[in-house]
Amino acid sequence: RPAVILRERPTLTPQRLPKPHDYFPFDLFNGNALEEGMLPEELHNELRYVRDHCMVPPYPWGQVVYHDFVVNHVLPGVPGDLAELGIGQGGTSVFFARVAKRYGRKFLAIDSFEGLPPPDASKDNPYFLEGDYRPGSGEDNYANFLRYKERFDIDDNLTTLKGFFKDVEIPESFQSFAFVHLDSDLYDSVYDSFVKMWPLLSEGGAIAVDDFFHHAQGPARAVSDFFRSLGPDAEPPLMYVVPTYAVMVVKGRSAFKEWQERPDGRPRGAIMECPRALDGNYYSFKLARECKPFVQAAEDAAKRVAEAASEAEHAGRRDAAALCRIRDNAEAFLAFLQYPNDGARSGCDILRYLQPLEDLFDVCEGNLCGMPGVERKTIEIPI
Protein backbone atom coordinates (compact mmCIF):
# COMPACT_ATOMS: atom_id res chain seq x y z
CA ARG A 1 0.00 0.00 0.00
CA PRO A 2 1.44 3.44 -0.90
CA ALA A 3 2.66 5.52 2.01
CA VAL A 4 0.40 8.34 3.15
CA ILE A 5 2.26 11.62 3.32
CA LEU A 6 0.78 14.06 5.80
CA ARG A 7 1.09 17.74 5.12
CA GLU A 8 2.94 19.79 7.66
CA ARG A 9 0.44 20.86 10.26
CA PRO A 10 -0.02 24.55 10.97
CA THR A 11 0.96 25.28 14.56
CA LEU A 12 -0.73 27.58 17.05
CA THR A 13 2.03 29.81 18.32
CA PRO A 14 1.99 30.03 22.13
CA GLN A 15 3.22 33.64 22.22
CA ARG A 16 1.15 36.80 21.76
CA LEU A 17 1.95 40.49 21.55
CA PRO A 18 0.68 42.83 24.28
CA LYS A 19 -2.63 44.32 23.20
CA PRO A 20 -3.50 46.67 21.61
CA HIS A 21 -0.68 46.60 19.07
CA ASP A 22 -0.09 48.08 15.63
CA TYR A 23 -1.07 45.07 13.53
CA PHE A 24 -4.18 43.08 12.56
CA PRO A 25 -6.94 43.47 13.52
CA PHE A 26 -6.28 46.86 15.11
CA ASP A 27 -4.91 48.38 11.93
CA LEU A 28 -8.23 47.71 10.21
CA PHE A 29 -9.69 50.50 12.31
CA ASN A 30 -6.91 53.00 12.73
CA GLY A 31 -6.61 56.37 11.02
CA ASN A 32 -4.93 54.82 7.97
CA ALA A 33 -7.60 52.19 7.34
CA LEU A 34 -9.43 54.44 4.90
CA GLU A 35 -6.81 55.31 2.34
CA GLU A 36 -7.50 57.81 -0.40
CA GLY A 37 -9.31 56.16 -3.29
CA MET A 38 -10.71 53.19 -1.33
CA LEU A 39 -14.18 54.74 -1.18
CA PRO A 40 -16.15 57.13 -3.38
CA GLU A 41 -15.04 60.66 -2.58
CA GLU A 42 -18.42 61.74 -1.19
CA LEU A 43 -18.61 58.80 1.22
CA HIS A 44 -14.99 59.26 2.25
CA ASN A 45 -15.67 62.91 3.09
CA GLU A 46 -18.87 62.12 5.00
CA LEU A 47 -16.98 59.64 7.18
CA ARG A 48 -14.16 62.10 7.72
CA TYR A 49 -16.64 64.72 8.99
CA VAL A 50 -17.82 62.49 11.87
CA ARG A 51 -14.68 60.48 12.60
CA ASP A 52 -13.98 62.22 15.92
CA HIS A 53 -17.49 61.40 17.19
CA CYS A 54 -17.63 57.68 16.35
CA MET A 55 -16.62 54.66 18.42
CA VAL A 56 -13.72 52.64 16.97
CA PRO A 57 -14.69 49.96 16.05
CA PRO A 58 -17.24 49.81 14.39
CA TYR A 59 -15.97 52.95 12.65
CA PRO A 60 -15.27 53.02 9.77
CA TRP A 61 -16.38 49.68 8.34
CA GLY A 62 -19.69 49.40 10.13
CA GLN A 63 -20.77 52.73 8.67
CA VAL A 64 -19.49 51.75 5.22
CA VAL A 65 -21.35 48.43 5.14
CA TYR A 66 -24.59 49.95 6.46
CA HIS A 67 -24.32 52.86 4.04
CA ASP A 68 -23.89 50.61 1.02
CA PHE A 69 -26.78 48.36 2.04
CA VAL A 70 -29.13 51.23 2.87
CA VAL A 71 -28.32 53.28 -0.24
CA ASN A 72 -28.32 50.36 -2.69
CA HIS A 73 -31.01 48.06 -1.29
CA VAL A 74 -33.27 49.95 1.12
CA LEU A 75 -33.80 53.59 0.16
CA PRO A 76 -34.57 52.93 -3.53
CA GLY A 77 -37.72 50.96 -2.70
CA VAL A 78 -38.42 50.63 1.02
CA PRO A 79 -40.61 53.33 2.60
CA GLY A 80 -39.86 54.84 5.98
CA ASP A 81 -37.39 56.95 7.90
CA LEU A 82 -34.09 56.17 9.61
CA ALA A 83 -33.28 56.02 13.33
CA GLU A 84 -30.60 55.30 15.90
CA LEU A 85 -31.34 54.25 19.47
CA GLY A 86 -28.23 54.80 21.55
CA ILE A 87 -26.21 57.48 19.81
CA GLY A 88 -22.92 57.23 21.73
CA GLN A 89 -20.80 60.21 20.70
CA GLY A 90 -23.30 61.24 18.04
CA GLY A 91 -21.24 60.70 14.89
CA THR A 92 -23.22 57.77 13.49
CA SER A 93 -26.51 59.62 13.98
CA VAL A 94 -25.16 62.64 12.13
CA PHE A 95 -23.76 60.40 9.38
CA PHE A 96 -27.10 58.69 8.75
CA ALA A 97 -29.15 61.85 9.25
CA ARG A 98 -27.21 63.30 6.32
CA VAL A 99 -27.87 60.15 4.28
CA ALA A 100 -31.57 60.38 5.16
CA LYS A 101 -31.73 64.03 4.09
CA ARG A 102 -30.20 63.30 0.69
CA TYR A 103 -33.01 60.83 0.07
CA GLY A 104 -35.83 62.93 1.47
CA ARG A 105 -36.22 60.95 4.70
CA LYS A 106 -36.36 61.99 8.35
CA PHE A 107 -34.04 60.76 11.10
CA LEU A 108 -34.84 59.99 14.73
CA ALA A 109 -32.08 59.91 17.39
CA ILE A 110 -32.91 58.58 20.87
CA ASP A 111 -30.61 58.44 23.90
CA SER A 112 -30.75 58.95 27.65
CA PHE A 113 -27.68 61.21 27.43
CA GLU A 114 -27.14 60.12 31.05
CA GLY A 115 -25.45 56.76 30.52
CA LEU A 116 -26.77 53.21 30.70
CA PRO A 117 -29.65 52.11 32.92
CA PRO A 118 -28.93 49.37 35.49
CA PRO A 119 -27.91 46.05 33.88
CA ASP A 120 -30.01 43.00 34.75
CA ALA A 121 -27.69 40.37 36.24
CA SER A 122 -30.05 37.61 35.09
CA LYS A 123 -29.67 38.68 31.43
CA ASP A 124 -26.42 40.64 31.11
CA ASN A 125 -23.02 39.14 31.90
CA PRO A 126 -20.87 41.26 34.24
CA TYR A 127 -19.36 43.97 32.06
CA PHE A 128 -21.31 47.23 32.09
CA LEU A 129 -22.17 49.42 35.07
CA GLU A 130 -25.15 51.66 35.58
CA GLY A 131 -24.17 55.05 34.23
CA ASP A 132 -21.53 53.81 31.77
CA TYR A 133 -21.19 56.21 28.81
CA ARG A 134 -22.44 59.10 30.92
CA PRO A 135 -21.12 62.62 30.35
CA GLY A 136 -18.15 63.88 32.29
CA SER A 137 -18.57 65.97 35.40
CA GLY A 138 -20.40 69.18 34.65
CA GLU A 139 -21.15 68.19 31.04
CA ASP A 140 -24.58 68.00 29.40
CA ASN A 141 -24.34 65.58 26.48
CA TYR A 142 -27.87 66.36 25.32
CA ALA A 143 -27.03 70.03 24.93
CA ASN A 144 -23.63 69.12 23.47
CA PHE A 145 -25.25 66.93 20.80
CA LEU A 146 -27.74 69.63 19.86
CA ARG A 147 -24.83 72.01 19.34
CA TYR A 148 -22.73 69.42 17.48
CA LYS A 149 -25.45 68.60 14.94
CA GLU A 150 -25.88 72.27 14.02
CA ARG A 151 -22.66 72.03 11.99
CA PHE A 152 -24.11 69.52 9.50
CA ASP A 153 -27.26 71.05 7.97
CA ILE A 154 -29.64 68.46 9.42
CA ASP A 155 -31.80 70.52 11.77
CA ASP A 156 -34.76 70.22 9.43
CA ASN A 157 -34.84 66.41 9.26
CA LEU A 158 -33.32 65.28 12.59
CA THR A 159 -35.49 64.78 15.67
CA THR A 160 -33.69 64.13 18.97
CA LEU A 161 -35.43 62.55 21.96
CA LYS A 162 -33.97 62.31 25.46
CA GLY A 163 -34.96 59.31 27.60
CA PHE A 164 -34.52 55.61 28.22
CA PHE A 165 -35.92 53.49 25.39
CA LYS A 166 -38.68 51.87 27.46
CA ASP A 167 -40.03 55.32 28.38
CA VAL A 168 -39.78 57.06 25.00
CA GLU A 169 -42.82 57.33 22.74
CA ILE A 170 -42.11 57.35 19.01
CA PRO A 171 -43.47 60.64 17.59
CA GLU A 172 -46.52 60.32 15.34
CA SER A 173 -44.60 62.04 12.55
CA PHE A 174 -42.57 58.83 12.23
CA GLN A 175 -45.06 56.38 10.75
CA SER A 176 -42.57 53.77 9.54
CA PHE A 177 -38.85 53.04 9.39
CA ALA A 178 -36.56 51.70 6.69
CA PHE A 179 -33.37 51.38 8.75
CA VAL A 180 -32.76 51.39 12.50
CA HIS A 181 -29.39 51.17 14.25
CA LEU A 182 -29.40 49.90 17.84
CA ASP A 183 -26.34 50.66 19.96
CA SER A 184 -27.94 49.81 23.25
CA ASP A 185 -25.46 47.47 25.03
CA LEU A 186 -27.91 45.87 27.47
CA TYR A 187 -30.57 43.16 27.17
CA ASP A 188 -33.54 45.25 28.29
CA SER A 189 -32.54 48.21 26.11
CA VAL A 190 -32.24 46.07 22.98
CA TYR A 191 -35.41 44.09 23.72
CA ASP A 192 -37.44 47.24 24.41
CA SER A 193 -36.09 48.76 21.18
CA PHE A 194 -37.20 45.76 19.13
CA VAL A 195 -40.65 45.84 20.72
CA LYS A 196 -41.04 49.49 19.72
CA MET A 197 -39.35 49.49 16.31
CA TRP A 198 -40.00 46.09 14.67
CA PRO A 199 -43.75 46.70 14.17
CA LEU A 200 -42.89 50.06 12.53
CA LEU A 201 -40.18 48.58 10.29
CA SER A 202 -41.22 48.34 6.64
CA GLU A 203 -40.92 45.08 4.74
CA GLY A 204 -37.40 45.01 3.34
CA GLY A 205 -36.17 47.42 6.02
CA ALA A 206 -33.41 46.46 8.44
CA ILE A 207 -32.48 46.68 12.10
CA ALA A 208 -28.76 46.60 12.92
CA VAL A 209 -27.64 45.49 16.39
CA ASP A 210 -24.26 46.65 17.60
CA ASP A 211 -22.39 44.67 20.29
CA PHE A 212 -24.12 41.44 19.27
CA PHE A 213 -20.83 39.54 19.63
CA HIS A 214 -19.89 40.95 23.02
CA HIS A 215 -18.84 39.59 26.39
CA ALA A 216 -21.97 41.06 28.00
CA GLN A 217 -24.18 38.91 25.71
CA GLY A 218 -27.26 40.97 26.54
CA PRO A 219 -27.95 42.15 22.97
CA ALA A 220 -27.60 38.63 21.52
CA ARG A 221 -29.95 37.17 24.12
CA ALA A 222 -32.46 39.98 23.58
CA VAL A 223 -32.57 39.43 19.82
CA SER A 224 -33.08 35.68 20.23
CA ASP A 225 -35.77 36.14 22.85
CA PHE A 226 -37.60 38.75 20.79
CA PHE A 227 -37.86 36.55 17.71
CA ARG A 228 -38.95 33.58 19.82
CA SER A 229 -41.65 35.80 21.29
CA LEU A 230 -43.18 36.15 17.81
CA GLY A 231 -44.53 32.62 18.18
CA PRO A 232 -43.98 29.15 16.72
CA ASP A 233 -45.06 30.17 13.20
CA ALA A 234 -42.39 32.87 12.85
CA GLU A 235 -39.47 31.94 10.60
CA PRO A 236 -35.98 32.24 12.13
CA PRO A 237 -34.17 35.43 11.13
CA LEU A 238 -31.05 35.49 8.99
CA MET A 239 -28.28 37.42 10.75
CA TYR A 240 -26.07 39.41 8.39
CA VAL A 241 -22.71 39.82 10.12
CA VAL A 242 -21.30 43.37 10.00
CA PRO A 243 -17.67 44.08 10.98
CA THR A 244 -16.73 43.60 13.61
CA TYR A 245 -19.28 42.56 16.20
CA ALA A 246 -22.68 43.57 14.84
CA VAL A 247 -25.50 41.84 12.98
CA MET A 248 -28.31 43.14 10.81
CA VAL A 249 -31.75 41.60 10.37
CA VAL A 250 -33.87 42.36 7.31
CA LYS A 251 -37.64 42.20 7.76
CA GLY A 252 -39.17 39.65 5.41
CA ARG A 253 -35.84 37.92 4.71
CA SER A 254 -35.59 34.89 6.97
CA ALA A 255 -33.10 32.02 7.05
CA PHE A 256 -35.67 29.80 5.28
CA LYS A 257 -35.24 29.24 1.54
CA GLU A 258 -37.79 26.67 0.42
CA TRP A 259 -39.57 23.44 1.24
CA GLN A 260 -38.15 20.15 0.09
CA GLU A 261 -40.91 17.75 -0.85
CA ARG A 262 -40.10 14.05 -0.39
CA PRO A 263 -41.72 11.59 -2.81
CA ASP A 264 -41.62 8.69 -0.33
CA GLY A 265 -44.30 10.24 1.85
CA ARG A 266 -42.00 11.43 4.61
CA PRO A 267 -42.67 14.92 6.07
CA ARG A 268 -41.26 17.67 3.92
CA GLY A 269 -38.00 19.26 4.98
CA ALA A 270 -36.95 22.89 5.16
CA ILE A 271 -34.00 24.09 3.11
CA MET A 272 -32.23 26.89 4.98
CA GLU A 273 -29.75 29.53 3.83
CA CYS A 274 -27.01 27.80 5.81
CA PRO A 275 -26.55 25.24 8.59
CA ARG A 276 -27.48 26.45 12.04
CA ALA A 277 -24.71 27.70 14.34
CA LEU A 278 -24.23 26.27 17.81
CA ASP A 279 -25.85 29.36 19.34
CA GLY A 280 -29.03 28.59 17.40
CA ASN A 281 -28.69 31.39 14.84
CA TYR A 282 -28.29 31.44 11.07
CA TYR A 283 -25.52 33.73 9.83
CA SER A 284 -24.72 35.28 6.48
CA PHE A 285 -21.36 36.90 5.70
CA LYS A 286 -22.44 38.31 2.37
CA LEU A 287 -22.31 41.98 3.37
CA ALA A 288 -18.76 41.79 4.73
CA ARG A 289 -17.53 39.75 1.75
CA GLU A 290 -19.08 42.08 -0.80
CA CYS A 291 -17.59 45.20 0.79
CA LYS A 292 -14.56 45.40 -1.50
CA PRO A 293 -12.83 48.23 0.40
CA PHE A 294 -13.05 46.19 3.62
CA VAL A 295 -11.60 43.12 1.89
CA GLN A 296 -8.83 45.32 0.47
CA ALA A 297 -8.07 46.70 3.92
CA ALA A 298 -7.89 43.15 5.30
CA GLU A 299 -5.50 42.19 2.50
CA ASP A 300 -3.30 45.20 3.24
CA ALA A 301 -3.26 44.29 6.93
CA ALA A 302 -2.31 40.68 6.14
CA LYS A 303 0.57 41.80 3.90
CA ARG A 304 1.82 44.25 6.50
CA VAL A 305 2.02 41.75 9.34
CA ALA A 306 3.46 39.06 7.05
CA GLU A 307 6.34 41.39 6.21
CA ALA A 308 6.83 42.23 9.89
CA ALA A 309 6.83 38.55 10.87
CA SER A 310 9.34 37.69 8.14
CA GLU A 311 11.68 40.47 9.22
CA ALA A 312 11.42 39.41 12.87
CA GLU A 313 12.14 35.77 12.02
CA HIS A 314 15.20 36.65 9.93
CA ALA A 315 16.50 38.91 12.67
CA GLY A 316 15.86 36.29 15.35
CA ARG A 317 13.78 38.73 17.41
CA ARG A 318 11.86 37.54 20.47
CA ASP A 319 8.55 38.80 19.08
CA ALA A 320 8.79 36.72 15.89
CA ALA A 321 6.54 33.91 17.11
CA ALA A 322 3.88 36.33 18.33
CA LEU A 323 3.94 38.16 14.99
CA CYS A 324 3.54 34.84 13.19
CA ARG A 325 0.37 34.18 15.21
CA ILE A 326 -1.03 37.55 14.15
CA ARG A 327 -0.01 36.81 10.54
CA ASP A 328 -1.85 33.49 10.64
CA ASN A 329 -4.95 35.22 12.02
CA ALA A 330 -4.84 37.93 9.35
CA GLU A 331 -4.42 35.40 6.55
CA ALA A 332 -7.24 33.22 7.91
CA PHE A 333 -9.56 36.21 8.12
CA LEU A 334 -8.71 37.31 4.59
CA ALA A 335 -9.26 33.78 3.26
CA PHE A 336 -12.67 33.73 4.96
CA LEU A 337 -13.64 37.05 3.40
CA GLN A 338 -12.52 35.83 -0.03
CA TYR A 339 -14.45 32.58 0.27
CA PRO A 340 -17.22 32.43 -2.35
CA ASN A 341 -20.75 33.13 -1.13
CA ASP A 342 -22.01 30.12 -3.07
CA GLY A 343 -19.40 27.80 -1.54
CA ALA A 344 -20.25 25.03 0.93
CA ARG A 345 -21.40 26.46 4.26
CA SER A 346 -21.10 25.34 7.85
CA GLY A 347 -22.73 26.24 11.11
CA CYS A 348 -19.19 26.77 12.40
CA ASP A 349 -18.52 29.55 9.88
CA ILE A 350 -19.24 32.09 12.60
CA LEU A 351 -16.27 30.67 14.52
CA ARG A 352 -14.08 31.05 11.43
CA TYR A 353 -15.08 34.71 11.36
CA LEU A 354 -14.57 35.39 15.07
CA GLN A 355 -11.41 33.41 15.87
CA PRO A 356 -8.95 35.49 13.80
CA LEU A 357 -10.19 38.59 15.65
CA GLU A 358 -9.01 37.17 18.99
CA ASP A 359 -6.75 40.10 19.83
CA LEU A 360 -9.58 42.59 19.39
CA PHE A 361 -12.05 40.61 21.49
CA ASP A 362 -9.51 39.90 24.20
CA VAL A 363 -8.51 43.54 24.57
CA CYS A 364 -12.22 44.48 24.73
CA GLU A 365 -12.86 42.01 27.54
CA GLY A 366 -13.15 44.73 30.14
CA ASN A 367 -12.27 44.36 33.79
CA LEU A 368 -15.62 43.27 35.15
CA CYS A 369 -15.12 39.53 34.85
CA GLY A 370 -17.73 38.23 37.27
CA MET A 371 -15.37 38.02 40.24
CA PRO A 372 -16.63 39.56 43.48
CA GLY A 373 -14.54 42.51 44.55
CA VAL A 374 -13.56 43.65 41.07
CA GLU A 375 -14.34 47.34 40.69
CA ARG A 376 -13.83 50.04 38.10
CA LYS A 377 -14.91 53.57 37.39
CA THR A 378 -17.86 54.19 35.11
CA ILE A 379 -17.08 54.93 31.47
CA GLU A 380 -17.50 58.58 30.50
CA ILE A 381 -17.79 59.82 26.92
CA PRO A 382 -17.85 63.35 25.60
CA ILE A 383 -19.97 64.71 22.77
Side-chain angles (χ1 to χ4, degrees):
R1 209 170 63 167
V4 176
I5 301 176
L6 297 178
R7 294 195 307 164
E8 182 179 350
R9 297 181 184 178
T11 57
L12 182 60
T13 305
Q15 285 85 35
R16 300 177 72 181
L17 285 187
K19 301 174 288 295
H21 48 69
D22 294 331
Y23 299 101
F24 176 88
F26 300 104
D27 57 355
L28 279 177
F29 301 95
N30 65 20
N32 298 321
L34 284 179
E35 298 177 3
E36 291 293 336
M38 292 187 75
L39 299 174
E41 183 178 2
E42 181 182 34
L43 176 56
H44 186 97
N45 290 336
E46 290 292 324
L47 288 168
R48 188 162 49 85
Y49 296 153
V50 300
R51 173 181 171 183
D52 292 340
H53 281 71
C54 289
M55 303 293 284
V56 179
Y59 181 91
W61 300 114
Q63 284 85 350
V64 172
V65 171
Y66 295 139
H67 171 273
D68 289 353
F69 181 81
V70 168
V71 168
N72 296 325
H73 301 287
V74 174
L75 294 177
V78 179
D81 298 309
L82 282 64
E84 182 174 43
L85 283 70
I87 73 167
Q89 294 176 288
T92 299
S93 281
V94 167
F95 176 78
F96 279 111
R98 286 174 62 84
V99 172
K101 182 169 182 173
R102 289 198 300 272
Y103 287 83
R105 312 291 180 98
K106 300 188 298 295
F107 190 89
L108 177 64
I110 305 176
D111 200 286
S112 72
F113 297 98
E114 297 175 359
L116 297 179
D120 185 334
S122 68
K123 303 169 185 174
D124 299 294
N125 293 342
Y127 189 96
F128 292 112
L129 296 176
E130 181 181 3
D132 270 347
Y133 303 117
R134 67 185 181 185
S137 178
E139 292 293 322
D140 183 342
N141 271 353
Y142 177 64
N144 290 344
F145 178 70
L146 295 182
R147 283 194 297 269
Y148 170 64
K149 72 180 180 64
E150 290 177 355
R151 296 154 44 186
F152 298 98
D153 190 31
I154 48 177
D155 284 340
D156 56 342
N157 78 308
L158 170 59
T159 298
T160 306
L161 299 181
K162 184 179 186 296
F164 291 114
F165 306 142
K166 64 182 178 63
D167 302 322
V168 169
E169 295 295 330
I170 306 300
E172 292 184 2
S173 58
F174 290 88
Q175 294 293 308
S176 64
F177 291 92
F179 177 75
V180 179
H181 183 250
L182 305 182
D183 190 359
S184 312
D185 300 309
L186 301 177
Y187 177 100
D188 286 338
S189 299
V190 173
Y191 193 92
D192 292 341
S193 298
F194 262 92
V195 169
K196 276 189 165 65
M197 305 305 283
W198 188 258
L200 298 177
L201 189 69
S202 300
E203 196 83 358
I207 292 184
V209 184
D210 197 38
D211 295 316
F212 187 89
F213 303 107
H214 192 284
H215 302 86
Q217 283 294 290
R221 291 172 180 144
V223 173
S224 295
D225 287 354
F226 173 77
F227 282 103
R228 281 200 301 271
S229 75
L230 300 181
D233 295 329
E235 297 178 357
L238 182 62
M239 309 283 191
Y240 289 89
V241 176
V242 178
T244 53
Y245 37 63
V247 299
M248 189 176 71
V249 182
V250 180
K251 193 169 188 177
R253 193 177 302 175
S254 75
F256 171 75
K257 289 183 69 176
E258 60 184 349
W259 291 108
Q260 181 183 43
E261 301 294 343
R262 297 189 172 104
D264 56 5
R266 288 183 298 158
R268 63 182 181 174
I271 299 177
M272 310 301 286
E273 286 283 346
C274 56
R276 199 175 193 183
L278 287 173
D279 62 2
N281 294 320
Y282 295 90
Y283 293 105
S284 170
F285 304 91
K286 183 177 181 179
L287 297 183
R289 286 171 171 160
E290 291 185 351
C291 183
K292 293 181 180 179
F294 179 62
V295 177
Q296 180 61 57
E299 184 174 347
D300 293 344
K303 289 178 179 178
R304 182 167 177 265
V305 71
E307 291 173 359
S310 178
E311 291 175 2
E313 285 183 307
H314 283 106
R317 296 205 322 253
R318 294 179 61 183
D319 63 350
L323 284 166
C324 287
R325 178 164 175 154
I326 300 171
R327 176 203 62 199
D328 294 344
N329 282 340
E331 292 177 350
F333 190 73
L334 177 61
F336 185 75
L337 291 178
Q338 293 174 334
Y339 188 80
N341 276 321
D342 58 355
R345 302 177 187 182
S346 166
C348 291
D349 282 342
I350 188 61
L351 305 179
R352 293 186 172 95
Y353 168 81
L354 294 172
Q355 186 278 322
L357 300 171
E358 60 175 355
D359 283 359
L360 178 64
F361 286 115
D362 286 351
V363 81
C364 295
E365 183 182 357
N367 56 7
L368 281 185
C369 56
M371 275 298 297
V374 175
E375 297 180 355
R376 68 164 171 81
K377 296 180 179 179
T378 54
I379 302 169
E380 296 180 353
I381 61 169
I383 294 182

